[in-house]
Every structure is written in structure tokens, then in C-alpha cells.
């Protein structure tokens, strides 16, 4: 009598917990009605914190679950913690803003939870199928979130545009997956890696398949030339959503990108490196140059994030353990400086209205010295000026590029970061040197001040104890490379 | 922490102390002038004394080293490393810092927020010390950028002045950009040397020279050094930075910041120099800077501008010495660095005193100050004389050394030209001229008439730093071996090691050629000054001959280009907000990438020979392809037609499945096609109607071209996809999942319809999930549409119907309402007759599903088709008056049934969803497969049926509600009975 025990589920405990929590929260919201937004948000944040604990508790050696579709390893733990942090920050920052914008609904945290669950699934995907499921769970939730402020045209447009383009990209990726499956006869990464290995170069079929998968993933990380949606969606979506967009999905998509490229296709770095090289260079150039011309802060951040993804992809192009490690460090640093910047953007309200223009920051140093100081810290960090954390992110990726003998890539990276520094420093100049505009609305709220303080301190004092991040990133990167 | 000696801890203290001081000063209240000054002074002196202690340990030629864990994974430790050069430089930084603090205490105005100034100053001092005593390259780059940052803050200290902001920004842009270049250069250098530790790098000289990346590293590092040390063509930021408060200029722009580049070149001199590349880049840059800087300095009217260009020129001199690849030149470079720091700082301070007392720095307005501030005038005179290289002062000694090396250095120039001695003499003649101008223009001549305030001697404490520095100039000038000798020796030895040359530090060498050159230069300088008197008195701002060559203007242009024009054009090209070009780009790039991959690698023939093409199938496919094409073409113009053609393409797919012996697949596909088409048809009415008719008038050319292009893209993408699919199909993959299922469908699942077996058995759990999702989808659709009303423009009756009504109304005996009643009379009759037939067919499909084509999913869809047909042919009201489907019950029941089947396995001691299979003989029907999966299938059937009908009802009620919204159109329509108990249309 054959016995079919339940599949081992414990590695997926955080995901299961989050999925269940989002359902419970949905019910909670339905029964409590519209008033429940605030409680639901805090509960969602709490659920995410619990998920962090579960993720950290589940760390350890590599474990497969759900018939090889799901994997937990040090890499997954690292990325999931980042994703969850992004989710926590986004929810906490959304509470007050949503109330002021009159979009405080309990569906918001539920959607964030669902999206986060999808992202964690992406991070842990060990199979093309589970990859796609995670990706779509994330994407569908994000489409709705982008259009969450339904009564404004910009938000609705953002949601729709993101959906149309995202569906196209998903379709391409799925096509790529089916090509890979068609040639390799398997969907799980382990079998793919085993089946594909052996040849000097990759066969044409999987290669074309990878190209399409890369297209889809590049869209999700908004790398040039698949970045088109980013500025529009960043600008149009409600600001807390944009803050969420700029961190958690980026981290998850980068994680997925790394895993897909390294685990099944890691033996053929030379074959896919050119593609990554190209989109990395294009992203860095466009991100740094096009940002200069922006007057809307959220749009600027969109281009800035495009540029940052370009830098992160340098590490992927290196394709080495060191390269992966540098990407992880870069993303960890990126999460904090980006969340901090968005916290400032969220506080930019004057007479009950959002202001988003960069010029609205003029003279901030005189009206809100602490706010100006923290934004200056984030801007200098993004520009990659030591001793702030951003410098170390760049240090690691450039070093990885040079050790992988990608000299041109490293030099282009340096040049573009010089250009990019220009617009970050311009913001500092606006805040400190220009005649002040009227003050922003007060009070800022304790939770916003806390977010600002945490992110600023991490960004500023990263250099004192970088090993906290660096060591776990190294362990995480090592777990992607067997042996 | 390894090998931490007392000395190394003292060294750490010296680096950390200024930062702590900066933090403390920053926390002081704005008006705490004296407290901040005392604090800053104490910190500087403390750091200086700490370094003096370290110096004791270093004199013997030792190196003080401290290593702390920093980034172990990169093999990077936080290393402090003090040798002779570092300690001497560190002493310069801290000692000069103490003097500047004293000076600044009296210089800063009462309303300036002084604590902030001292905080920045101390932080800068710490960063500068960091560069000097860092023991690894990354750390140097790190502190390097910090100095750029703090110098930016110091220059912009008076940020309410526009010029200060511009100067600060330019300095930051140039030096920070240079710093990044330096950083990448260091990465390359570390890569070559195999480590970032300075000892490792310094020990890898031959390896570095031989490496192909040596030029890259060299250029990048030199970019950093040149920008920091204001070497031509990056010199333009330094004069702009003169908007800084004078203590800042005295500190940063004479002694410290600008010396960082020089220090770095000296530091890496053992491993980078000695090649032609080094000689040409460093030597040329140094020589040009030396000449150009000195020349422009002559024509400056601003005291600080003059000093700034003179600084540039002297930095050029040091750079030139470093470029000469000779050990003696190296010693001279270090020597001159120290000398220049002393006399230039004192001159800056003097200029600051003048500005402080008179309110202006313009030489044209100043004169005769000697009578008002005689003591200051004498101090400035001595310092300027040192700058000009007058004997018995320190500037003379290092200049002599420079002349000596200029005469002896190898110049790999063609034709045996000896340019260096000439350059040296001309440049030092220029320096005599501008020194004269500084002194003569300011302190001599008639009383000033045009100054804002009448000057007098400054406070004694403000003058003290100047006095000390000038004293140093004289002491070194007269007794070099006793004063500076040991310091210089230690510093030079730490760079040159065994190869330190013999040099003599005495004032009188006898009547040598350098002395002759000095004399010539002095004479030339004085003559030039006298000759230029008329030109200078006219007070024009433009520098003769070099006025047009403004690197600053180039910088501005470059910034405008980068920050404005380039950004705008890129934004214009790539920054579209329209969806269409965005989609186009994604598709095109994907296409190009895939095509590139295919072309580069080449698509060879597959390993399966394609079977020959059946002409009939080819025709069918041609039809399908034209349908798809037609759908694409008409999608925008005629949605209905497009949808129908889409259905056509779908049918062809089904036929293909049948053709290749996959009837089950075909059946499933067919039903999915039908249902989706119908649902889409119903959904069409929410789309707004197109205003312009299809092809009504000729479109403008540009639009037609655009369409043609889009057509091209679409066609190429489609053909590409087809080609790829073909390429997949002519290859036999290593191992197919399908074979796994085919092999086990009967043995383990008890069925021969593989799709069905997969659905209900192998992946039973998945199917359970899927039908749950289907449930949710149906409910969501219903919930969404419940309060939805069709767009007003789609509520109107169709044009044909309106025409017919008008026609009927015109008849003699109008038959009201008959039009709709008679509509589709024959089909509706057939449809009614078909209803039971389809129902039975559905049950048939359900029962045979496990072995033959069919199954719960298909059966459910089939049954719902029966209902759909009724709705379509008879209308919502008619159907709902007669048939009562309770979709929610079907769905709920189905789901429970399916789940119950799964749970049922538990009662027999099997895991969830284990299936049992066997055959049961029924009367009339015969043998029926009776796998427990059949029960599961029944659940699936009920659910699929319920869900489809629920969606259908939600859609169908739109028509009712739409009409109710405009009751005038059809007032006679009876209110429909609502099949689902929920409220409808009550919005």
C-alpha cells in the first residue's frame, strides 16, 4: 500500500503564514468595514514582522519543499528579509498618508501582504512554474495597488499602463519558460542545470528561451529598455505605493533574476553576459542622464531606481559568487536609502495638498533642518559619496566587475555615477542654499520620524559595521553556488 | 586587532580625535565662539602632539601600523600606517590646523555661526589625516571623498553669497568626480597588485609596470590627483574656491587639500613612476601648470586670486618634480611641498588680515598699507620673498634644488632640446613678478583712497600664526639642516628607501649654475614687473593671450550640455508617456534580442524530420492564419468582426488537435473557445463605441506609415514566434514529461484519457485548487458587475432594430413588440429543442470522461453552453421566467463534493485524494468506469457549470439594467425575475 505523506511544508512556513494572514485580514476588514484601515495596517505590519521572525528562524542549510518547486537557503533568507522590511516600511509609511489622501482602506495592507507573499515565493522559486506563480501573485497585487487612488486619472492610468505592459512582459517570460521547457524537458532548476550542462555553449533553444525570460525579468526590475513604465507608474501611483514599488518588488525581482541566471544557467555565464551587460549599461546611462531633466521628485526617483538597478546588474554580469554578493549588498543598502527618501517625499505636504516638485524642497534646511539633513544623507548616499552606505554598494559591484575583468563596465559605471551625483547634489543644493518656501504641514507623526531616523542612521553609519550585511550577503551568495 | 602597539593606538587617536571634536563643535550653540575655538585649537594641538609621539617611533625608519577588522569578506581591513612621509604630512596638517584655528577665531565675523565652521574644519582635518595615514587604497579613496565633501561645506560656508555656492559646487563637482576616477583607478591597481593594502601595492612595483592595465590605472589615479591638486586642465576650480573664508583658503588651498594629490603621487611614486607614460603625463601637466599658473597670477587683481594661481603654479612645480623620475627631484618635491605650505599659508593669512582691516582684496584699490600696518607688511614681505625664491628664505632652497634637478634630469626629448631649465627660469621669473606685485601693489605707493575702512594693525593674536609661519620660513632658509633636515630625511627615506640620494641642505653651494639661474630669474622678474606697470595700472580683467582659453568656460559648457541638453534630448527620445511607443519598444527589443541570439548561434536543422504537409491541413491553417491576421487588422476598427475571426482561429486550433489524434484536447479547447468568445461578446458592450467609421476618409500619410510600421512589427514578431515554435517541434527533447504521464495514466490512474487523468488524479490536488479559483473568479465577476451599469451610449437599441421599429410604426397596423418576439424565431426554436440534448450530452461526457474524451470540466462547460444558448436566443427575461439555475448552490455543492471525495480517502485509510478505480456494470449503459475520481469529476462538473452560469447571469443582467436605466426606450419590458438572490442594479 503506497503511502503519500503530506509534502514537507515547513520551509514555506513564512509564505503560508503570510497568505493565511492576508486572508484573515481581509475577513477582518470586511467585518469591521471602512473604519478598519488603521488597525488592518498595523496588523499587517505585525504579520510582516512575524514573517521576518519565521524567515530568520527557518534559516539554515538549503531545503527543498513542495516537490522541488520551492527552496529555502541563505540567499532566500537574505532577500526575504529585505523584501519584508520593504513591506513593513511601506505599510507603516502609508497609514497617515492614506488617511490624508482619503484612500485609507483595509484592502491596501491586504494587497501589500499578498504582493509580499508573491515576492517571497519569487525569491524561493526553484522551478519555472513556481517562479511564474510568485511573479503573477506579486504583479497582480501591484497592478491594483498602482491604481489604488481610483478617483485620480493619473493613478488609474498608472495601474492600467502597468497592467498592459506587465502582462506583455509576463507573456514573453512565459513564452521563454515554455521554450526552455520544450528544449530541456524540465521546469525545475536542478534538472535544468543538469540537463543543460555538458555543452561548451548553450543550445540555441534554451538560449532564445533565456532571452525571453531575461526580457520579462528585466521588465520587472525596470531595466532599460524595459523601463518605460517606471516613471509613469512611480509618478501616478499613490506615494506609499511608489515607495513600496521602489524597494520590495525590485529586491524580489533581482533575487529572482539572480537565481534564474545562476542556478539553472550559471554554467553559461558567457552566453548571457552580453545581454546583462547591455541592459546594465543602458540602465546606468539613462538613469543618470534622464533624471537630470526631471522636475517631479517621484519621477526623479524612478530614473534613480533605474540607474541603481543598472549598478546592481553589474554584479550579475560578473556572474561570480563575488558578483552576486555585491548585488545583495547593493540591494540591502538601496532599500534603506530609498525608503528614507520616500519617507521625505511622503512628508511633503503643504496646506493639506501633496507637493511633489523638486523645487518644493527649496530652503528645506531652514524650515525643517532635521528633514533636510536626513534627505541630504540619502542623496549623498545615492550619489555614492563616502562614508555613506551607497559608496560601499558601488565599491562592491565595481570590484566584482573588475575581478571578472569587465573593465569597460566598471568604467562606465564610474562615469555615470559621476553624472548621477549631479542631480543628487542638486537637491542638496536646493535644500541648503535656496530661499526657503513655506514649511510643510506638521506634525509628521511618530512613525514617520522613526522610519526616517532608522533609515538615516543605517545609511550614515553603515561603514562602522559593514560586516553585519556583508557577511550574511557572502553566505547568501555562497548558497547559490553549490560546492 | 593585531599588533596594536602604543604608537599605533596613538595614531588611531590622532585620526579619531578631530572627528570627535567636529561632532562636539557641531553640538555647541551658535554663539559659542570662544568655546568652539578653544575646542578646535585643543583638538588640533592634541592631534599634532600625538603625531609628534608617533614621529619618535618613525624616525628610526620604522612603520607604525594598526589593523582593525573592517570588511573581511573583501579582504579589506581598516589599516592605519604611518611612515616618515605620512607623519610629516600629518604634522603639517594638524600643526597648520592649530594655527588656522587661532587665526580664524579673530577672522570670523561676530554674526557667523562659528561652531559650525570649526566643526567642518575639524572634520576636514580628520579626513585629511585619514588620507595621509591610511594603509589601504580603498580607505584612501574613502577619506579622499570625505575631504571633497568637507571642503565643499567649508567653501560654501557663506552660502548666502551666490559666488560662494558656485565656487563650492564647482570644487565639489571637479574633485568628487576626480575622486571617483581615483577610486576606480585604485580598484584596477588593487586588482593588478593582488591586494589593496598599501604594503602589498608598494611591494608589487615590477608587476604593476608590466601589467597591460597599468596605463588604465595610471590615468584614472592621475585624474584623481590632478583634479585635487588643481593641475592643468583641471585647475579652474581653485580660483573659484577663493570665495571661501580666508582661513579656509589658508588651510585647504595652500597646505592641505591641494597637497593631497601631490601626496598621493609621492606615495605611489615607487610603483607608478619610472615609465614613459608617467613622465609624459605627470611631467607635461606639471610643466604646463607651472607656467600657465604663474603667468595668469601676474594679471590677477584679487589678492586671493593671485595667491590661488600662484598656488596652482607651485603645485605644478611639485608635480613636475615628481614626474621627473629622479630621486633627487623626489626629495625636492617633498621639500617644496613643506616650504610652500608655510609661506603660502602665511600669505593667505596676510591677505585675510588686509581684507579684514580694509574691507577689500582688490590690488587696484589698495596701496601704501605699509604705513598703516607696518608689522603685517614686513611679515608679508618676507613670505612673498620666500615665494619669489629670495636667498636666505626657505623658498630659495627648494627652488635651487629644482633648478639643479632640472639641469640634470634626463629629458627624452627629440633633438636633445633642453626645455626644462628654460621653463624653470621663466616660471620663477613670473613668480618674482607676481610676488612683487603682491607686495608693491598693496603695501607701497600713496595712501589708499578707495577702501571701505581705514586700516590699522590687527589684533596681536590674529597676527601670531603669521609670525610663526614667517619665522619658520626664515629659520629653514638660514639653518636648513638643523631645522627641516631630519624631517625631510625621514620623509624622503620612507618613499625612496635605500635609493635615497645624497643631497646637501646648505644655503651656500658656491657659485653654481642653479645660483646663476636664480639670479637671472630674479632680474627677469623685476624687469617684467617694471615693464608691465602700464598694463597693470589700466586694471583690465582679461589675461593677455590666455583670456580665451578658459577651462572654466569649458567646464560650464560641459555642465550645461550634460545637465540640460543631453538630458533633454534623452528624455525626449526615451521619456514618452504614451503606451503605444512603450509597447512597441518592448516588443521590438525582445524581437531583436531573440533574433540576435538565433543569428549568432545559428539555428541548425532539428533532429526530427518533419512529416510531409497535408494539403488539406495546409488550407485549414491558411484559413486560421488569415483569421488571426484579420482579427489583428480589424481589432481597432470592428471589434465584433475581430472577435468572430478570433473564434475562427481558435476553431482551426481545435481542428489541428483532432487532426493529430488528440480529440480530448480538441474538445476541451473547443469548449474553452466557445465560452470565452461568448463572454467576450457580452463584454464588448462595455467598450465605448468608436466615433469614426472604418476607413471613412483617407488618413494622413504619417499615420498610414505608422500603421504600416506597426504591421511590420507585428508580422515579424508573429513569424518569429512561429519560427521558434517550429524550431522547438523539430527537436526531440531529452526526456518528456508527457511520456511520464502517458506511461502511467492507465496503470496508476485507471484511465486512458490522459488529460482527464492528469486533471483528476495525478494532479487532483491542483485541480481542487483550480476549481476553487474558478469559484472565486466567478464570484468576483459577479460582485464587480453587480453594481455596474453599461455605458450610456451602448444602451441604445441597435440601429437595425430602431430602423425596423420606425418602419413598423409607419405601417397601417403597427405590431408593437412583435419585432423582438419574432427575432431569431427559427434558431430559438432549435435552441429550445437542443437544451435537453445538450444536457444529456454533458452527462455523457462526464461519465465517460475517464477513458474517452470528456470529463467533468468539459461536461460542465457543455452544460453551461446549453444555458448560454438559451440566454442568447431567447433573451434574459424569457429564460429567467422559465429556468431557475441557482449557480451559487451548484458551485458550493460542487466544491464540497470534490473536497469530500478527497477527504473520503481518509476514511479508507488512504491519504487525501487517493483514487480508487474499477468498473461498474449499469443496466442499459453497460460497463462504466467507476474510479473514485468520477465522484471528484462530478464535483468539478457542478462547479464549472455553476461558475460559468454565474458569470453569464452577471453579464446578462447588464442588458436588463441598461434598459432600466433608460426606461423611455422600452417601458413595456417586464422586470426580470432575479435568479440570484442578491440585489441587482440598486445603485
Amino acid at each position: 500500500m503506497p503511502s503519500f505523506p503530506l509534502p514537507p511544508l515547513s520551509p514555506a512556513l513564512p509564505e503560508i503564514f503570510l497568505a493565511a494572514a492576508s486572508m484573515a485580514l481581509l475577513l477582518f476588514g470586511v467585518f469591521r468595514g471602512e473604519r478598519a484601515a488603521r488597525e488592518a495596517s498595523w496588523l499587517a505590519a505585525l504579520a510582516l514582522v512575524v514573517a521576518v521572525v519565521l524567515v530568520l528562524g527557518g534559516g539554515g542549510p538549503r531545503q527543498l519543499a513542495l516537490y522541488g518547486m520551492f527552496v529555502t537557503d541563505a540567499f532566500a533568507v537574505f532577500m526575504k528579509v529585505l523584501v519584508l522590511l520593504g513591506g513593513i516600511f511601506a505599510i507603516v509609511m502609508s497609514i497617515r498618508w492614506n488617511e490624508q489622501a482619503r484612500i485609507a482602506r483595509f484592502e491596501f495592507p491586504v494587497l501589500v501582504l499578498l504582493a509580499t507573499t508573491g515576492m517571497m515565493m519569487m525569491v524561493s522559486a526553484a522551478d519555472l512554474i513556481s517562479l511564474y506563480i510568485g511573479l503573477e501573485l506579486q504583479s497582480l497585487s501591484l497592478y491594483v495597488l498602482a491604481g489604488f487612488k481610483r478617483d485620480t486619472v493619473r493613478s488609474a492610468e498608472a495601474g492600467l499602463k502597468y497592467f498592459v505592459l506587465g502582462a506583455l512582459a509576463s507573456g514573453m517570460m512565459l513564452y521563454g519558460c515554455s521554450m526552455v521547457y520544450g528544449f530541456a524537458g524540465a521546469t525545475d532548476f536542478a534538472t535544468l542545470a543538469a540537463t543543460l550542462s555538458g555543452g561548451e555553449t548553450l543550445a540555441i533553444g534554451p538560449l532564445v528561451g533565456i532571452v525571453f525570460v531575461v526580457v520579462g525579468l528585466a521588465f520587472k526590475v525596470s531595466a532599460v529598455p524595459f523601463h518605460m513604465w517606471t516613471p509613469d507608474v512611480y509618478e501616478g501611483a499613490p506615494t506609499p505605493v511608489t515607495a513600496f514599488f521602489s524597494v520590495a518588488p525590485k529586491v524580489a525581482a533581482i533575487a529572482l533574476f539572480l537565481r534564474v541566471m545562476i542556478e539553472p544557467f550559471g554554467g553559461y555565464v558567457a552566453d548571457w553576459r552580453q545581454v546583462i551587460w547591455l541592459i546594465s549599461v543602458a540602465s546606468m546611462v539613462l538613469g543618470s542622464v534622464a533624471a537630470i531633466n526631471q522636475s517631479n521628485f517621484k519621477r526623479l526617483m524612478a530614473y534613480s531606481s533605474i540607474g541603481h538597478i543598472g549598478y546592481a546588474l553589474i554584479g550579475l554580469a560578473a556572474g561570480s559568487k563575488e558578483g552576486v554578493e555585491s548585488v545583495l549588498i547593493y540591494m540591502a543598502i538601496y532599500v534603506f536609502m530609498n525608503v528614507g527618501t520616500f519617507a521625505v517625499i511622503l512628508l511633503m505636504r503643504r496646506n493639506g495638498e501633496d507637493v511633489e516638485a523638486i523645487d518644493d524642497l527649496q530652503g528645506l534646511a531652514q524650515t525643517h533642518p532635521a528633514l533636510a539633513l536626513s534627505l541630504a544623507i540619502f542623496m549623498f548616499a545615492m550619489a555614492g559619496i563616502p562614508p555613506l552606505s551607497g559608496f560601499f554598494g558601488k565599491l562592491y559591484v565595481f570590484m566584482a566587475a573588475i575581478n571578472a575583468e569587465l573593465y569597460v563596465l566598471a568604467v562606465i559605471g564610474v562615469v555615470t555615477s559621476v553624472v548621477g551625483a549631479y542631480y543628487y547634489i542638486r537637491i542638496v543644493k536646493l535644500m541648503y542654499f535656496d530661499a526657503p518656501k513655506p514649511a510643510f504641514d506638521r506634525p509628521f507623526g511618530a512613525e514617520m520620524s522613526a522610519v526616517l531616523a532608522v533609515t538615516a542612521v543605517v545609511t550614515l553609519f553603515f561603514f562602522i559595521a559593514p560586516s553585519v550585511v556583508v557577511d550574511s550577503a557572502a553566505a547568501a551568495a555562497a548558497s547559490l553556488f553549490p560546492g | 586587532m593585531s599588533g596594536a602597539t602604543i604608537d599605533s593606538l596613538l595614531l588611531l587617536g590622532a585620526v579619531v580625535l578631530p572627528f570627535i571634536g567636529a561632532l562636539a563643535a557641531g553640538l555647541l550653540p551658535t554663539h559659542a565662539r570662544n568655546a568652539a575655538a578653544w575646542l578646535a585649537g585643543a583638538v588640533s594641538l592634541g592631534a599634532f602632539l600625538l603625531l609628534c609621539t608617533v614621529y619618535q617611533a618613525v624616525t628610526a625608519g620604522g612603520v607604525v601600523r594598526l589593523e582593525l577588522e573592517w570588511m573581511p569578506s573583501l579582504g579589506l581591513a581598516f589599516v592605519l600606517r604611518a611612515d616618515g612621509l605620512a607623519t610629516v604630512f600629518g604634522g603639517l596638517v594638524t600643526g597648520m590646523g592649530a594655527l588656522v584655528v587661532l587665526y580664524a577665531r579673530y577672522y570670523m565675523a561676530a554674526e557667523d555661526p562659528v561652531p559650525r565652521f570649526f566643526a567642518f574644519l575639524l572634520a576636514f582635518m580628520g579626513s585629511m589625516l585619514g588620507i595621509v595615514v591610511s594603509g589601504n587604497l580603498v580607505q584612501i579613496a574613502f577619506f579622499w571623498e570625505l575631504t571633497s565633501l568637507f571642503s565643499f561645506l567649508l567653501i560654501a560656508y557663506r552660502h548666502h553669497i551666490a559666488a560662494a555656492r558656485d565656487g563650492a559646487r564647482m570644487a565639489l563637482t571637479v574633485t568628487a568626480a576626480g575622486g571617483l576616477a581615483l577610486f576606480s583607478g585604485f580598484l584596477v591597481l588593487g586588482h593588478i597588485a593582488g591586494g589593496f593594502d598599501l604594503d602589498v601595492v608598494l611591494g608589487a612595483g615590477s608587476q604593476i609596470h608590466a601589467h597591460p592595465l597599468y596605463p588604465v590605472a595610471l590615468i584614472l589615479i592621475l585624474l584623481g590627483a590632478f583634479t585635487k591638486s588643481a593641475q592643468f586642465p583641471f585647475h579652474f576650480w581653485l580660483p573659484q574656491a577663493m570665495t571661501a573664508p580666508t582661513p579656509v583658503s589658508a588651510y585647504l588651498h595652500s597646505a592641505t587639500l591641494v597637497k593631497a594629490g601631490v601626496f598621493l603621487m609621492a606615495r605611489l611614486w615607487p610603483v607608478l613612476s619610472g615609465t614613459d607614460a608617467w613622465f609624459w603625463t605627470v611631467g607635461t601637466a606639471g610643466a604646463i601648470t607651472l607656467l600657465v599658473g604663474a603667468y595668469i597670477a601676474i594679471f590677477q587683481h584679487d589678492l586671493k586670486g593671485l595667491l590661488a594661481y600662484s598656488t596652482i603654479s607651485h603645485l605644478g612645480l611639485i608635480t613636475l618634480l615628481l614626474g621627473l623620475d629622479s630621486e633627487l627631484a623626489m626629495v625636492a618635491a617633498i621639500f617644496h611641498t613643506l616650504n610652500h605650505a608655510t609661506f603660502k599659508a602665511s600669505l593667505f593669512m596676510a591677505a585675510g588680515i588686509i581684507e579684514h582691516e580694509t574691507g577689500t582684496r582688490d590690488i587696484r584699490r589698495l596701496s601704501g598699507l605699509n604705513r598703516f600696518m607696518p608689522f603685517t607688511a614686513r611679515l608679508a614681505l618676507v613670505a612673498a620673498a620666500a615665494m619669489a625664491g629670495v636667498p636666505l628664505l626657505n623658498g630659495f632652497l627648494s627652488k635651487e634644488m629644482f633648478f639643479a634637478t632640472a639641469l640634470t634630469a634626463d629629458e627624452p626629448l627629440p633633438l636633445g632640446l633642453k626645455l626644462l631649465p628654460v621653463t624653470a627660469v621663466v616660471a620663477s621669473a613670473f613668480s618674482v613678478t607676481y610676488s612683487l606685485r603682491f607686495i608693491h601693489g598693496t603695501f607701497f605707493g600713496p595712501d589708499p583712497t578707495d577702501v571701505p575702512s581705514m586700516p590699522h594693525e590687527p589684533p596681536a593674536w590674529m597676527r601670531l600664526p603669521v609670525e610663526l609661519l614667517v619665522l619658520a620660513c626664515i629659520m629653514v632658509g638660514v639653518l636648513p639642516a638643523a631645522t627641516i633636515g631630519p624631517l625631510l630625511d625621514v620623509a624622503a627615506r620612507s618613499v625612496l628607501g635605500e635609493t635615497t640620494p645624497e643631497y646637501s641642505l646648505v644655503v651656500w653651494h658656491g657659485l653654481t649654475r642653479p645660483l646663476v639661474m636664480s639670479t637671472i630669474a630674479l632680474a627677469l622678474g623685476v624687469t617684467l614687473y617694471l615693464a608691465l606697470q602700464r598694463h597693470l595700472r589700466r586694471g583690465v580683467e582679461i589675461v593677455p593671450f590666455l583670456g580665451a582659453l578658459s577651462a572654466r568656460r569649458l567646464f560650464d559648457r560641459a555642465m550645461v550640455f550634460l545637465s540640460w541638453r543631453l538630458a533633454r534630448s534623452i528624455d525626449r527620445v526615451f521619456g514618452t508617456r504614451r503606451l503605444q511607443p512603450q509597447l512597441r519598444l518592448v516588443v521590438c527589443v525582445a524581437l531583436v534580442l531573440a533574433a540576435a541570439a538565433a543569428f549568432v548561434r545559428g539555428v541548425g536543422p532539428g533532429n526530427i524530420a518533419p512529416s510531409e504537409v497535408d494539403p488539406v491541413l495546409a488550407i485549414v491553417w491558411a484559413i486560421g492564419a488569415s483569421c488571426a491576421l484579420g482579427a489583428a487588422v480589424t481589432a481597432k476598427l470592428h471589434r465584433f468582426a475581430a472577435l468572430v475571426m478570433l473564434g475562427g482561429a481558435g476553431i482551426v486550433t481545435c481542428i489541428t488537435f483532432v487532426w493529430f489524434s488528440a480529440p480530448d484536447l480538441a474538445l476541451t479547447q473547443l469548449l474553452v473557445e466557445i465560452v470565452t468568445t461568448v463572454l467576450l461578446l457580452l463584454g464588448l458592450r462595455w467598450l465605448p463605441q468608436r466615433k469614426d467609421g472604418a476607413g471613412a476618409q483617407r488618413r494622413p500619410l504619417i499615420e498610414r506609415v505608422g500603421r504600416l510600421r506597426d504591421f511590420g512589427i507585428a508580422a515579424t514578431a508573429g513569424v518569429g514566434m512561429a519560427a521558434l515554435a517550429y524550431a522547438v517541434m523539430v527537436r526531440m527533447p531529452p526526456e518528456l514529461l508527457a511520456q511520464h504521464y502517458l506511461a502511467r495514466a492507465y496503470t496508476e490512474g485507471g484511465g486512458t484519457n490522459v488529460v482527464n487523468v492528469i486533471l483528476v488524479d495525478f494532479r487532483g490536488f491542483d485541480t481542487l485548487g483550480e476549481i476553487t479559483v474558478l469559484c472565486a473568479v466567478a464570484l468576483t465577476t459577479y460582485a464587480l458587475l453587480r453594481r455596474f451599469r453599461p455605458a450610456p451610449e451602448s444602451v441604445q437599441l441597435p440601429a437595425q432594430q430602431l430602423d425596423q421599429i420606425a418602419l413598423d410604426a409607419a405601417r397601417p397596423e403597427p405590431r408593437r413588440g412583435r419585432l423582438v418576439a419574432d427575432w431569431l424565431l427559427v434558431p430559438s426554436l432549435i435552441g429550445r429543442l437542443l437544451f435537453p440534448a445538450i444536457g444529456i450530452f454533458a452527462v455523457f461526457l462526464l461519465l465517460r470522461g475517464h477513458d474517452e474524451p470528456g470529463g467533468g470540466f468539459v461536461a460542465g462547460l457543455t452544460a453551461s453552453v446549453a444555458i448560454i444558448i438559451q440566454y442568447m436566443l431567447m433573451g434574459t427575461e424569457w429564460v429567467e421566467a422559465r429556468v431557475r439555475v441557482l449557480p451559487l448552490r451548484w458551485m458550493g455543492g460542487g466544491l464540497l463534493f470534490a473536497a469530500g471525495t478527497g477527504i473520503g480517502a481518509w476514511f479508507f485509510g488512504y491519504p487525501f485524494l487517493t483514487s480508487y478505480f474499477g468498473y461498474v456494470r449499469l443496466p442499459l449503459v453497460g460497463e462504466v468506469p467507476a474510479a473514485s475520481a468520477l465522484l471528484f469529476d462530478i464535483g468539478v462538473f457542478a462547479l464549472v457549470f455553476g461558475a460559468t452560469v454565474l458569470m453569464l447571469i452577471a453579464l446578462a443582467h447588464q442588458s436588463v439594467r441598461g434598459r432600466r436605466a433608460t426606461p423611455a426606450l422600452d417601458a413595456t419590458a417586464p422586470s426580470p425575475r432575479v435568479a440570484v438572490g442578491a440585489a441587482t442594479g440598486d445603485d
Side-chain angles (χ1 to χ4, degrees), chain B residues 183-209:
Chain B
F183 169 48
S184 45
F186 277 170
L187 291 184
V188 177
L189 188 62
H191 178 67
I192 299 174
F196 292 94
D197 196 285
L198 205 53
D199 288 326
V200 174
V201 174
L202 290 179
S206 53
Q207 197 179 330
I208 291 170
H209 280 178

Side-chain angles (χ1 to χ4, degrees), chain B residues 582-800:
Chain B
Q582 298 183 349
L583 280 169
R584 207 178 284 142
L585 184 78
V586 172
V587 173
C588 284
V589 171
L591 196 66
V592 168
L593 284 178
F599 271 111
V600 169
R601 201 51 58 75
V603 191
N607 51 9
I608 305 174
S611 56
E612 55 202 74
V613 181
D614 191 313
V616 181
L617 185 67
I619 292 171
V620 172
W621 267 50
I623 294 171
S626 356
C627 276
L629 210 58
V633 170
T634 51
K636 196 174 177 187
L637 310 172
H638 199 312
R639 296 190 192 107
F640 182 71
L643 202 53
V644 170
M645 281 193 265
L646 210 56
I651 297 282
V652 170
T653 314
C654 298
I655 294 174
T656 313
F657 286 149
V658 176
W659 201 276
F660 290 110
S661 325
D664 44 355
L665 204 54
L667 199 53
T668 313
Q669 175 77 23
L670 182 66
L671 285 156
V672 168
E673 283 288 338
I674 292 172
V675 175
T676 47
T677 307
V678 169
L679 290 179
L680 277 174
L681 267 177
L682 287 167
L684 268 191
R685 43 181 310 147
W686 283 282
L687 292 178
Q689 281 175 337
R690 277 185 66 84
K691 290 287 181 283
D692 50 350
Q697 69 266 19
R698 283 183 71 78
R699 291 186 181 73
L701 180 68
I702 190 149
E703 198 183 322
R704 276 184 289 150
V705 170
R707 273 167 184 270
L708 212 59
R709 176 198 53 199
D710 288 353
F711 178 76
I713 294 172
T716 320
V719 170
M721 297 261 291
L724 280 177
Y726 179 80
V728 177
M729 279 186 283
V730 293
R731 281 168 171 75
M732 180 60 95
E735 190 190 335
L736 270 182
L737 193 63
Q739 282 154 356
H740 164 90
Y741 286 125
L742 283 174
R744 298 197 185 143
Y746 193 76
T747 52
E748 291 180 17
T752 50
N753 175 353
V754 180
V755 172
N756 185 261
V757 172
I758 290 174
L759 283 181
V760 300
D761 196 321
F762 288 150
R763 299 211 158 181
F765 199 71
D766 293 7
T767 311
L768 190 61
E770 278 161 20
I771 57 175
T772 316
V773 170
L774 188 63
C775 242
V777 169
L779 286 172
T780 316
T781 314
Y782 181 75
L784 275 178
L785 292 180
R786 195 164 64 93
R787 289 171 162 247
F788 197 81
R789 202 185 282 284
E793 64 264 28
S794 69
V795 167
Q796 293 229 332
L797 291 177
Q800 300 90 328

Side-chain angles (χ1 to χ4, degrees), chain B residues 879-890:
Chain B
V879 177
E880 292 187 349
R882 286 159 185 82
V883 187
R884 272 182 74 100
V885 186
L886 295 171
L888 288 181
R889 293 193 190 169
W890 281 90

